[in-house]
C-alpha cells in the first residue's frame, strides 16, 4: 500500500463516486434514457444529436474532458460553453455536467466568482444522487470569492441532510 499524496492547500472536496452525467441517468430510474444515443441516428435520435456528432452537447462535454486531460484549458472551456448552449435546456444532464465541469475548472484556476455562477446553476438542477457534491463545490467557490454567508448557508443545507458529511464539517472548520 502506497501512502496517499499530500493534498494541495486549496483543493475542493473529493470527486463524486459517480460522475454527474452518469448520476443523471441513474437518478432517472430503470428504463430511463439519458438522452445520449450511442451513435448518431440511433432509434429516436434526430441526425446530429447522437454522442458521436460534434454538434451533440454530450460529445462536447466528452471533448472538454479530453482537452483538460491534455492540459488544453482554453479549448476545454470553449467546448463546455458550446455544450451549455447546445444542450436541451438548463435542466438537461449535458448542461448540468458541462456547468459542473466548467465551474470546477474555473474554481481550480482561482476564478471563484465566475465558478459560482456555473456551480450554483448545476447544483440547483442536479439529480439528488450528485446534488450534495455540487452543493459542496458551490459552497467552496462562494467561500473563496468572499461570499461567506452564502457558503455558510450551503454548508448548513448539506449538514441538514447529512449531519455526518465530513466534507462540509471540514470545510466549515477551515472557514472559521
Amino acid at each position: 500500500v502506497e501512502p496517499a499524496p499530500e493534498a494541495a492547500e486549496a483543493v475542493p472536496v473529493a470527486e463524486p463516486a459517480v460522475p454527474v452525467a452518469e448520476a443523471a441517468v441513474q437518478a432517472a430510474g430503470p428504463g430511463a434514457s439519458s438522452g445520449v444515443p450511442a451513435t448518431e441516428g440511433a432509434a429516436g435520435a434526430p441526425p446530429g444529436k447522437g454522442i458521436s456528432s460534434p454538434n451533440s452537447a454530450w460529445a462536447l462535454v466528452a471533448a472538454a474532458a479530453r482537452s483538460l486531460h491534455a492540459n488544453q484549458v482554453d479549448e476545454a472551456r470553449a467546448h463546455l460553453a458550446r455544450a451549455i448552449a447546445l444542450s436541451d435546456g438548463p435542466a438537461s444532464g449535458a448542461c448540468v455536467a458541462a456547468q459542473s465541469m466548467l465551474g470546477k475548472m474555473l474554481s481550480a484556476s482561482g476564478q471563484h466568482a465566475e465558478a459560482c455562477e456555473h456551480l450554483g446553476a448545476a447544483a440547483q438542477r442536479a439529480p439528488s444522487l450528485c446534488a450534495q457534491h455540487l452543493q459542496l463545490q458551490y459552497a467552496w467557490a462562494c467561500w473563496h470569492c468572499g461570499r461567506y454567508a452564502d457558503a455558510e448557508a450551503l454548508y448548513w443545507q448539506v449538514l441538514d441532510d447529512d449531519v455526518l458529511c465530513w466534507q462540509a464539517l471540514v470545510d466549515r472548520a477551515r472557514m472559521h
Side-chain angles (χ1 to χ4, degrees):
V1 176
E2 295 181 18
E6 291 194 38
E9 185 168 321
V11 176
V13 295
E15 291 295 312
V18 179
V20 173
E22 289 178 31
V25 174
Q26 289 179 5
S33 170
S34 65
V36 185
T39 59
E40 186 169 337
K49 291 290 188 180
I51 196 164
S52 63
S53 168
N55 292 325
S56 160
W58 283 111
L60 290 164
V61 170
R66 287 189 301 274
S67 295
L68 278 177
H69 185 71
N71 238 7
Q72 298 169 333
V73 177
D74 292 337
E75 184 176 310
R77 188 173 181 168
H79 286 311
L80 292 171
R82 187 154 181 239
I84 292 166
L86 290 176
S87 68
D88 293 329
S92 74
C95 188
V96 170
Q99 287 185 316
S100 170
M101 188 183 291
L102 184 55
K104 288 172 58 174
M105 203 173 86
L106 291 165
S107 191
S109 67
Q111 300 173 52
H112 299 291
E114 192 175 349
C116 282
E117 294 175 38
H118 295 285
L119 290 170
Q124 184 179 33
R125 295 176 178 98
S128 60
L129 190 60
C130 60
Q132 183 182 73
H133 173 74
L134 288 170
Q135 272 188 300
L136 289 167
Q137 292 202 333
Y138 180 34
W140 177 270
C142 287
W143 170 34
H144 281 84
C145 73
R147 293 173 44 192
Y148 304 115
D150 292 339
E152 184 80 18
L154 287 163
Y155 285 128
W156 277 118
Q157 283 176 359
V158 169
L159 290 169
D160 282 346
D161 292 336
D162 181 3
V163 72
L164 297 176
C165 178
W166 67 268
Q167 295 97 333
L169 293 168
V170 168
D171 285 352
R172 280 195 66 249
R174 288 180 184 167
M175 284 179 61
H176 298 288

